[in-house]
Amino acid sequence: IETKELEKRFIDACGEIRPLKELNITLEKGGFVSIVGRSGSGKSTLLKMLGGLLVPTKGNVFIDGVDLYSMKEKELAAYRCYKIGFVFQAYNLVQELTGYENILLPVMLDGKKPDEEYLNKVIDMLGIRDRLEHLPSALSGGQQQRIAIARALANRPAILFADEPTGNLDGKSGREVLSLLKYVSKQLGV
């Protein structure tokens, strides 16, 4: 992943906000990177731009040499579907679906048949097999986050972005989720 002169500006009632200014970064394949900074410093904005979810005001984002924002929206959506997994801070689980149905959601929306062997591997790695038939409201925060991680991995992405994956968890659960992300990264090559 590489950025060139990446910038994002927002305008609100108080004026212009520039959380990112002329950012140039290179992230190597196979890496595990944490982005840290104070609240409002642009961490989520950066992740959304790297993941093709938020168009930069200026600059470029390249993944394997492909300029994300030179693509048409339909091409970018397909690229995101196959190349990028996203774990959101608020989990974004569908409350009416079981844990397993939430995991399958991106695969089913893509019209593909689930790779049961791969999904079973992910489910076992994340230790959530006994929670698959539960609705999100019956899961702890850590369990919901693990379901969200499994969902983000369901389409076998090359890249996994996690926006404050431990932000809503207690210290112990947060450490467990971070360890799981490192483990999944190493085991699956994400």
Side-chain angles (χ1 to χ4, degrees):
I1 301 171
E2 185 177 4
T3 67
K4 300 270 187 186
E5 303 296 315
L6 194 62
E7 191 169 299
K8 187 63 181 177
R9 284 176 273 174
F10 299 100
I11 308 273
D12 73 1
C14 297
E16 184 178 84
I17 301 166
R18 294 176 68 191
L20 297 174
K21 301 171 196 162
E22 300 176 5
L23 181 65
N24 295 298
I25 59 171
T26 301
L27 305 174
E28 297 297 324
K29 193 174 228 167
F32 188 92
V33 177
S34 294
I35 299 169
V36 295
R38 60 180 166 62
S39 180
S41 64
K43 300 179 302 290
S44 294
T45 299
L46 174 60
L47 285 181
K48 288 175 185 170
M49 287 194 297
L50 294 178
L53 298 173
L54 181 64
V55 178
T57 305
K58 176 183 163 198
N60 305 84
V61 175
F62 299 93
I63 296 181
D64 291 333
V66 175
D67 184 350
L68 289 189
Y69 295 102
S70 68
M71 294 183 203
K72 294 183 171 120
E73 182 54 40
K74 201 171 190 175
E75 291 174 296
L76 181 56
Y79 190 84
R80 277 192 310 257
C81 183
Y82 295 111
K83 190 83 167 174
I84 299 169
F86 229 104
V87 180
F88 298 94
Q89 182 179 3
Y91 318 131
N92 290 1
L93 299 178
V94 178
Q95 296 301 310
E96 296 79 18
L97 300 179
T98 66
Y100 191 63
E101 291 166 337
N102 267 286
I103 293 168
L104 287 180
L105 194 58
V107 177
M108 304 308 271
L109 288 173
D110 195 30
K112 294 188 333 189
K113 185 178 180 199
D115 179 341
E116 295 292 340
E117 184 180 332
Y118 169 76
L119 288 176
N120 280 322
K121 182 178 180 179
V122 169
I123 287 164
D124 289 338
M125 272 193 245
L126 295 171
I128 52 175
R129 183 160 302 283
D130 63 336
R131 308 309 290 167
L132 296 178
E133 295 308 314
H134 296 273
L135 294 173
S137 60
L139 301 172
S140 70
Q143 291 165 341
Q144 288 184 56
Q145 190 65 296
R146 290 170 193 235
I147 296 287
I149 292 167
R151 180 186 57 198
L153 293 168
N155 272 339
R156 294 179 174 255
I159 301 164
L160 179 67
F161 291 112
D163 189 2
E164 297 195 39
T166 61
N168 292 326
L169 304 175
D170 62 69
K172 181 177 184 270
S173 295
R175 285 187 297 279
E176 286 174 0
V177 165
L178 198 54
S179 292
L180 282 168
L181 285 170
K182 288 179 183 176
Y183 177 73
V184 165
S185 172
K186 188 173 185 176
Q187 292 299 310
L188 300 178
V190 177

